[in-house]
């Protein structure tokens, strides 16, 4: 049996009763969180252009709806992450479209999202030690799109295998200059989800897909992974839950920015800076190599108020300066008039980002985003680590993050952490210095988030204009009827004066 066939056999038969309560709880928060991200996307000028180009979030064609929902929720970096991948752009967006089209209830939505999470995260994990990370790994949305739709449709395993094989036959290869330097980033999830919908349509019509495309010697992993980990694709199905590794975004911003912004917000309150940026003489942000590299690659695209929408969420300097000045970082800070405020850019010029070797070791020690893959790879991961860090395989400060002996790929992921640490030091003209440090950002996978994620995501949804009654439905989603879920989704996808148009007639499933 090939990897796709084994994954399809499991995914086509998943049932909510077999899922641990903690995983169901995380998924409810994930759905509400992604609805907040979609609302944020709708409110942004680029999101409105996306709707003009591709139609409203809820359409007669469920596949078209899935594409638009995927695009709206992705590019502001308000979407949640897991080990491995940015899942919700496909694993939540596509089930939302199909439960509405099919008239399904809350249990069906939860089952579809969890199944899609597990499929997409596993294939992404198998290629984690490769050229693509985060949202640039478009294959995450390919697999999540197929799985989210077919679980909602209760499709047979044979169709799953064909659709997954077809979807992975021509996976997108993201070009970073376009992704960061233009509006193309808003299509980063929309395009692969559209491809996933085409693959499902083709499989339903009788097209056959290559069943061994993941592990074939010239297949997906051979092209998309520097160190392929095919074994993780099916390890621990039904017992090892990748949904356990979810980290939730409470504010927009790219990889590694969250902890630094958390620190900056505390410093804003302590120092009472207000708009008095002139008194700040220096801001030093210390972070892991991952954060430094992401910021470094985005810097050539920064152009002050004219910075492309794809690059701005990746700018550490802009995010920290905004948080220090205004005591918050919201989606409004990534559009006019906020982006044209001179004080932000003047302070951003004084923000210095430096690499901290201990923080890099901490990053590699946690499950996400790389640690688990490196532990599974063992000695195979040394070459990838050397390329990523730009130093010898011994790793930073001579301490290798690579295990000589691979760990069991089927072991539980419960209790996973995501360490993306940062330390922010602010020096003022009057001689004062204040410092804050954080290892796991607010919402990041860890013990604190495992307790607080329902309230955090409720607050996120309300901050994007959602209402209390709708949030309450998703908090008790496993008991929501089809009618209750439809009402809640239509409310969640409405944005006041700019409410989305819901097409009801001629639904295509």
């Amino acid at each position: 049996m090939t990897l796709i066939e084994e994954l399809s056999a499991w995914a086509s038969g998943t049932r909510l009763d077999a899922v641990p309560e903690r995983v169901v709880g995380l998924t409810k928060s994930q759905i509400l969180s992604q609805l907040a991200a979609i609302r944020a996307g709708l409110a942004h000028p680029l999101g409105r252009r996306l709707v003009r180009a591709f139609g409203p979030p809820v359409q007669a064609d469920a596949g078209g709806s899935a594409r638009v929902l995927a695009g709206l929720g992705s590019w502001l970096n308000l979407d949640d992450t897991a080990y491995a991948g940015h899942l919700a752009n496909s694993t939540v967006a596509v089930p939302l479209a199909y439960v509405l089209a099919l008239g399904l209830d809350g249990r069906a939505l939860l089952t579809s999202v969890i199944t899609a999470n597990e499929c997409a995260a596993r294939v992404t994990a198998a290629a984690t030690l490769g050229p693509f990370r985060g949202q640039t790994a478009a294959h995450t949305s390919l697999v999540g799109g197929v799985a989210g739709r077919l679980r909602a449709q209760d499709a047979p395993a044979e169709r799953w295998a064909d659709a997954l094989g077809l979807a992975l036959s021509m996976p997108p290869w993201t070009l970073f200059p376009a992704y960061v330097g233009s509006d193309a980033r808003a299509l980063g999830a929309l395009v692969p989800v559209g491809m996933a919908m085409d693959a499902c349509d083709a499989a339903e019509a009788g097209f056959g897909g290559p069943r061994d495309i993941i592990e074939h010697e010239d297949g997906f992993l051979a092209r998309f992974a520097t160190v392929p980990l095919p074994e993780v694709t099916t390890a621990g199905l039904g017992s090892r839950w990748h949904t356990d590794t979810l980290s939730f975004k409470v504010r927009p911003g790219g990889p590694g920015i969250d902890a630094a912004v958390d620190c900056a917000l505390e410093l804003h309150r302590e120092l009472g800076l207000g708009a008095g940026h002139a008194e700040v003489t220096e801001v030093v942000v210390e972070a892991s190599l991952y954060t430094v590299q992401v910021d470094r690659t985005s810097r050539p695209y920064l152009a002050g108020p004219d910075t492309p929408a794809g690059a701005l969420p990746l700018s550490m300097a802009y995010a920290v300066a905004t948080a220090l000045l205004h005591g918050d970082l919201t989606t409004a800070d990534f559009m006019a008039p906020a982006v044209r405020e001179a004080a932000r850019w003047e302070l951003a010029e004084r923000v210095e980002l430096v690499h901290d070797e201990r923080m890099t070791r901490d990053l590699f020690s946690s499950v996400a985003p790389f640690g688990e893959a490196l532990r599974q790879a063992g000695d195979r991961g040394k070459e990838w680590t050397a390329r990523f860090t730009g130093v010898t395989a011994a790793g930073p400060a001579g301490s290798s993050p690579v295990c000589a002996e691979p760990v069991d790929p089927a072991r539980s992921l419960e209790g996973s952490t995501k360490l993306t640490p940062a330390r922010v030091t602010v020096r003022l003209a009057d001689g004062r210095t204040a410092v804050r440090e954080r290892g796991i950002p607010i919402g990041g996978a860890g013990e604190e988030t495992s307790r607080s994620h329902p309230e955090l995501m409720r607050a996120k949804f309300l901050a994007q204009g959602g209402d209390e009654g709708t949030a309450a439905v998703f908090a008790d989603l496993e008991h929501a009827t089809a009618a209750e879920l439809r009402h809640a989704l239509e409310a969640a996808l409405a944005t006041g004066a700019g409410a989305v148009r819901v097409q009801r007639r001629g639904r295509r499933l």
Side-chain angles (χ1 to χ4, degrees), residues 31-273:
I31 293 169
L32 192 62
S33 174
Q34 192 63 12
L35 285 167
I38 291 166
R39 291 180 64 91
L42 277 167
H44 194 280
L46 185 54
R48 293 194 287 272
R49 292 200 293 273
L50 188 147
V51 168
R52 284 201 299 271
F54 299 100
V58 182
Q59 307 176 13
D61 176 8
S65 179
R67 294 198 316 156
V68 173
L69 289 169
L72 287 171
S74 62
W75 60 273
L76 278 169
N77 280 91
L78 260 178
D79 58 314
D80 304 315
T81 62
Y83 172 74
H86 284 246
L87 304 181
N89 300 318
S90 59
T91 66
V92 173
V94 175
L96 288 177
Y98 277 86
V99 297
L100 273 173
L102 293 162
L104 303 179
D105 63 13
R107 289 181 64 84
L109 175 58
L110 284 165
T111 304
S112 299
V113 173
I114 292 167
T115 304
N117 279 345
E118 296 305 314
C119 292
R122 289 165 177 278
V123 174
T124 306
T128 287
L129 301 181
F132 297 113
R133 283 170 287 283
Q135 291 186 348
T136 65
H139 47 269
T140 303
S141 292
L142 278 181
V143 177
V146 169
R149 170 174 166 174
L150 295 187
R151 183 61 270 176
Q153 292 180 317
D154 200 18
E158 287 294 306
R159 193 188 304 167
W160 278 78
D162 286 328
L164 286 170
L166 290 166
L168 288 169
S169 293
M170 290 169 276
W173 188 276
T174 304
L175 299 179
F176 195 78
Y179 174 79
V180 178
S182 76
D183 290 345
R185 184 175 179 185
L187 307 179
L190 183 148
V191 168
V193 164
M195 294 174 67
M197 299 302 96
D198 291 342
C200 290
D201 287 340
E204 187 173 358
F207 279 68
R211 304 298 179 86
D212 63 347
I213 194 65
I214 293 178
E215 67 268 36
H216 191 281
E217 62 181 9
D218 198 25
F220 169 71
L221 287 179
R223 300 289 182 173
F224 280 76
T226 306
V227 183
L229 300 172
E231 63 275 15
V232 308
T233 308
T234 56
L237 284 168
S239 60
R240 171 185 168 89
W241 300 96
H242 280 254
T243 305
D244 269 327
T245 69
L246 278 172
S247 287
F248 296 96
K249 294 286 291 193
V250 298
R251 299 180 192 89
I257 285 177
D258 307 88
V261 170
D262 290 339
C263 293
L265 295 177
E266 291 185 25
L267 291 168
H268 168 87
R269 291 189 290 270
E270 176 186 340
L271 299 172
L273 292 177

Side-chain angles (χ1 to χ4, degrees), residues 4 30 78 94 132 135 152 177 186 193 250 255 293 333 358 396 409 434 466 480 487 496 501-503 506 508:
I4 277 181
Q30 181 191 17
L78 260 178
V94 175
F132 297 113
Q135 291 186 348
V193 164
V250 298
Q293 286 185 343
D333 292 309
R358 175 184 61 80
H487 178 76
R501 178 167 53 93
V502 179
Q503 300 177 352
R508 177 175 174 274

Side-chain angles (χ1 to χ4, degrees), residues 169-433:
S169 293
M170 290 169 276
W173 188 276
T174 304
L175 299 179
F176 195 78
Y179 174 79
V180 178
S182 76
D183 290 345
R185 184 175 179 185
L187 307 179
L190 183 148
V191 168
V193 164
M195 294 174 67
M197 299 302 96
D198 291 342
C200 290
D201 287 340
E204 187 173 358
F207 279 68
R211 304 298 179 86
D212 63 347
I213 194 65
I214 293 178
E215 67 268 36
H216 191 281
E217 62 181 9
D218 198 25
F220 169 71
L221 287 179
R223 300 289 182 173
F224 280 76
T226 306
V227 183
L229 300 172
E231 63 275 15
V232 308
T233 308
T234 56
L237 284 168
S239 60
R240 171 185 168 89
W241 300 96
H242 280 254
T243 305
D244 269 327
T245 69
L246 278 172
S247 287
F248 296 96
K249 294 286 291 193
V250 298
R251 299 180 192 89
I257 285 177
D258 307 88
V261 170
D262 290 339
C263 293
L265 295 177
E266 291 185 25
L267 291 168
H268 168 87
R269 291 189 290 270
E270 176 186 340
L271 299 172
L273 292 177
H277 68 283
E279 62 187 290
V280 179
T281 59
E282 184 181 27
V283 181
V284 178
V285 179
E286 297 163 272
S288 75
L289 185 60
Y290 178 44
T291 300
V292 171
Q293 286 185 343
V294 170
D295 184 80
R296 184 182 298 150
T297 55
S298 69
R299 279 182 178 269
Y301 303 94
L302 298 182
D306 298 316
T307 297
L312 194 58
L314 303 180
S315 171
M316 175 69 81
Y318 180 82
V320 168
T322 297
L324 285 172
L325 287 177
H326 296 283
D328 206 352
L329 183 68
T330 72
T331 54
D333 292 309
F334 293 90
M335 65 181 86
V339 295
R340 302 205 171 276
E341 183 186 3
R344 299 174 192 242
W345 294 103
E346 291 170 6
L347 183 55
E349 288 293 322
R350 297 174 221 157
V351 177
E352 180 186 9
L353 179 60
V354 297
H355 175 212
D356 184 285
E357 292 182 346
R358 175 184 61 80
M359 291 182 181
T360 295
R361 291 195 297 273
D362 289 345
L363 173 86
F364 281 114
S365 74
S366 61
V367 166
F370 312 121
E372 183 70 8
L374 288 170
R375 282 184 284 276
Q376 289 164 355
D379 282 340
R380 292 179 293 164
K382 288 184 177 180
E383 180 183 354
W384 181 89
T385 306
R387 290 182 183 179
F388 177 78
T389 60
V391 297
T392 66
S399 177
S400 173
V402 181
C403 295
E405 294 296 328
V407 298
D408 180 5
R411 68 192 181 91
S412 173
L413 292 170
E414 184 179 359
S416 293
T417 59
K418 183 179 182 181
L419 280 160
T420 52
R423 182 188 306 110
V424 179
T425 301
V426 175
R427 297 186 175 91
L428 304 181
D430 62 9
R432 287 183 295 161
T433 297

Side-chain angles (χ1 to χ4, degrees), residues 389-483:
T389 60
V391 297
T392 66
S399 177
S400 173
V402 181
C403 295
E405 294 296 328
V407 298
D408 180 5
R411 68 192 181 91
S412 173
L413 292 170
E414 184 179 359
S416 293
T417 59
K418 183 179 182 181
L419 280 160
T420 52
R423 182 188 306 110
V424 179
T425 301
V426 175
R427 297 186 175 91
L428 304 181
D430 62 9
R432 287 183 295 161
T433 297
V435 183
R436 284 292 184 278
E437 180 174 345
R438 191 173 184 100
I440 298 176
I442 296 172
E447 185 177 349
E448 180 181 334
T449 299
S450 69
R451 297 190 303 267
S452 63
H453 64 82
E455 184 54 36
L456 281 175
M457 294 306 99
R458 175 182 165 277
K460 176 181 176 178
F461 180 71
L462 297 180
Q464 296 302 327
D467 66 272
E468 294 273 9
T470 301
V473 171
F474 289 99
D476 194 33
L477 187 56
E478 63 269 45
H479 299 117
T481 66

